[in-house]
Each structure stands twice: as C-alpha cells, then as structure tokens.
Amino acid sequence: MTKEEIKQTFNMRDILAKCGLPEPNRAGFIKCPFHKGDHDASLKIYDKDFHCFGCGANGDIFSFIQKFYGISFKDAFLMLGGEYEKKMSFKTSLSIYHANKEREMRDKNEVKLKEEHKLNNDLISLYRRFLSKSKPLSEAWCDCYNALQLELYHAEILEDRK
Ligand SMILES: [Zn+2]
C-alpha cells in the first residue's frame, strides 16, 4: 500500500486498537499515552488525527504509531502494510539500456555523416579552385567532372550550391 492507501484504510480508532489502547470515551478522548498522569483523558481522537490538550502531542495515524512505539516514519509505514515501489525489473532496465545505446549510436552516426559530408564538400571546392586556376579541361574531362558532380549530388554528398 502507498501512504495514501494506508490513510484511507485506517482511521485513528484502528490505530488505537493496534496499539492496544482502549476506545475513546463518548466525547472522543483517551488518556494520553504521551504524558504522565493524564487522569482527565486530554487526548482528543479525531477520524484521522489526534491532539492532546495536555501536552500538545498531535499528528496523524503515522505519527501516533511513531510516538507510541518510538519508531521512525519508515517503520510505522511498513508496520501498517506500506510498500515502497518495487525495484525496476531486470527486463525493464535492460530495455532502457538498449534504448539509450541505440540513441547513442544514432547520434554518433549523424555526426559521422555530417563530417563525411563536410569532407566531401571540402574536396569538391578544392577541386573547383584547382580547375579555375588551371588551363581549360578537355571535353572528356569536363564530361567526367560533370558526371561526378551529378552522382555526388544525387548521393546527397554534394550540397546544391546553385
Ligand atoms: Zn498528552
């Protein structure tokens, strides 16, 4: 059960029974177990809370158990059937691991592709600069160069610069 579920399951009367204390009197009071000599019964029991008009002790069902037994909230919580969320199953953590790995690989590939694109474009521009400074190419070379550029463009390696 979660904390809220426990709160919905038990009221203060259930808690008193668990602590082996008598039921509240007609006015809803019990003798306070948190201070000595409470002959007048000054601890008022509400549905989900309590308040002592003698010593000022107050709180909810958890704090009553904590105070009464002198234990931590965690222990009181467990005592009332509380459960902390179960640890992630091996299968779940494995699939999370795989998803992360996959994303990592995807990112790496993208970076690699971008670098390749850049390298190719750098080569092409170097080549263009070289061409512009050398003597005109033969018809055959021009055809080759144009064909190469077209291929690269179709392979999306060469960016369209027009
Ligand atoms: Zn008291």
Side-chain angles (χ1 to χ4, degrees), residues 61 92 111 120 137:
I61 57 173
T92 311
V111 170
N120 281 321
L137 294 168

Side-chain angles (χ1 to χ4, degrees), residues 101-143:
K101 265 281 174 230
E102 228 170 78
R103 193 168 39 228
E104 215 174 87
M105 290 295 285
R106 240 190 349 255
D107 290 350
K108 264 188 197 166
N109 270 342
E110 241 166 63
V111 170
K112 213 175 134 195
L113 268 180
K114 266 185 196 159
E115 277 170 1
E116 272 174 16
H117 271 211
K118 194 181 173 300
L119 186 67
N120 281 321
N121 281 313
D122 287 350
L123 280 176
I124 295 288
S125 55
L126 266 179
Y127 190 48
R128 275 181 178 151
R129 250 192 292 164
F130 166 73
L131 284 180
S132 65
K133 281 180 184 167
S134 62
K135 57 186 174 182
L137 294 168
S138 70
E139 283 288 311
W141 269 110
C142 268
D143 286 348

Side-chain angles (χ1 to χ4, degrees), residues 18-89:
K18 279 185 187 294
C19 295
L21 293 165
E23 293 213 345
N25 63 23
R26 282 190 185 186
F29 284 89
I30 62 165
K31 287 183 180 174
C32 178
F34 306 125
H35 75 270
K36 280 181 182 167
D38 186 23
H39 301 298
D40 304 326
S42 9
L43 188 96
K44 172 84 176 173
I45 298 297
Y46 303 97
D47 187 32
K48 301 286 180 189
D49 306 278
F50 64 94
H51 179 82
C52 177
F53 292 91
C55 69
N58 65 82
D60 59 8
I61 57 173
F62 294 103
S63 20
F64 193 92
I65 296 233
Q66 277 177 253
K67 277 178 198 287
F68 190 77
Y69 290 109
I71 57 178
S72 67
F73 170 80
K74 189 184 164 189
D75 287 336
F77 175 71
L78 293 174
M79 217 169 134
L80 292 173
E83 272 177 345
Y84 289 100
E85 260 182 75
K86 288 194 186 82
K87 274 184 188 161
M88 222 188 278
S89 74

